[in-house]
Amino acid sequence: MDVEKLYAMLEKTQTAQGYFFNADRERTMELLEALLKNKDRYGYMVCPCRLSSGDRENDKDIICPCVYRAPDVEKYGSCYCNLYVSKAWNDGTIDRDFVPERRPPEKIMF
């Protein structure tokens, strides 16, 4: 799959759920390309902003869209990577605060 096809597929499914891609298309495409590279590397689209262990079971919380996306977008208007954002974040009607890492340290220290 190429990055344009991934963009189109995810945009349709995620927008229906109330999640939007970052309006910075260049940044969005870089992140989607990294997801595809991780799929080639690990066999699954693990978050491009986090280190993968290479163990799907250990990484299941960071397979995109990660389990932290919903609470991050709700609280900060953006996921950790800034790939998925709220409409208000894209519109600039909320502050673009730093999104802290929610993943437990024991999952990071593999």
Side-chain angles (χ1 to χ4, degrees):
M1 177 178 300
D2 72 20
V3 72
E4 290 292 338
K5 286 182 183 176
L6 180 61
Y7 181 96
M9 180 184 74
L10 292 177
E11 182 181 43
K12 179 187 257 186
T13 60
Q14 300 308 306
T15 301
Q17 297 178 46
Y19 298 100
F20 303 89
F21 281 135
N22 185 331
D24 179 344
R25 186 161 169 96
E26 184 177 339
R27 172 77 175 142
T28 295
M29 298 311 266
E30 288 171 355
L31 290 167
L32 292 176
E33 284 179 34
L35 280 174
L36 290 173
K37 284 180 185 173
N38 282 344
K39 185 173 192 236
D40 287 343
R41 185 178 295 143
Y42 303 112
Y44 48 96
M45 289 195 297
V46 68
C47 176
C49 301
R50 295 179 167 106
L51 290 175
S52 172
S53 68
D55 175 351
R56 187 182 186 100
E57 183 62 27
N58 187 66
D59 290 344
K60 69 182 178 182
D61 62 323
I62 59 170
I63 294 174
C64 190
C66 72
V67 300
Y68 311 107
R69 177 186 68 173
D72 284 348
V73 172
E74 184 176 328
K75 184 170 184 176
Y76 301 102
S78 171
C79 72
Y80 184 68
C81 292
N82 303 136
L83 176 62
Y84 290 109
V85 301
S86 67
K87 185 173 182 340
W89 194 92
N90 263 344
D91 293 344
T93 57
I94 62 171
D95 290 336
R96 293 184 176 182
D97 294 329
F98 171 76
V99 180
E101 175 64 91
R102 288 182 187 263
R103 195 169 196 221
E106 63 272 12
K107 296 286 277 184
I108 298 169
M109 306 300 284
F110 43 82

